[in-house]
Amino acid sequence: MATGMLNNKSKQTTTRIPLDTLDELKQVKEDSESTAGFIVTAIKGEIKRRQREKSHTVPAKRGA
């Protein structure tokens, strides 16, 4: 049974989002999409983008 802000699969967090950003989010998310779903998808996309960016900046090892 989940208690408090943590369970087996997720942790609840609270953040402040600028009102203009929140308005833009509401304009672009799908009607069937929850705000939480939109945010999680956006976070996952940003994580992947940064990982790709980081992997491109690390110099490749040259073979011996």
Side-chain angles (χ1 to χ4, degrees):
M1 176 194 293
T3 57
M5 297 173 66
L6 183 68
N7 67 23
N8 300 11
K9 296 182 180 186
S10 65
K11 181 177 180 180
Q12 183 176 352
T13 185
T14 303
T15 59
R16 289 188 177 270
I17 301 171
L19 293 175
D20 58 334
T21 303
L22 190 56
D23 288 340
E24 289 179 59
L25 180 154
K26 290 177 181 178
Q27 290 174 7
V28 299
K29 76 179 184 82
E30 305 293 328
D31 291 336
S32 61
E33 184 177 30
S34 69
T35 300
F38 181 96
I39 292 169
V40 169
T41 301
I43 291 170
K44 288 180 178 183
E46 183 65 11
I47 289 168
K48 289 179 184 179
R49 186 189 69 78
R50 291 182 185 202
Q51 288 171 336
R52 283 192 307 270
E53 186 177 276
K54 188 175 180 179
S55 70
H56 287 290
T57 59
V58 176
K61 293 183 180 180
R62 303 248 165 157

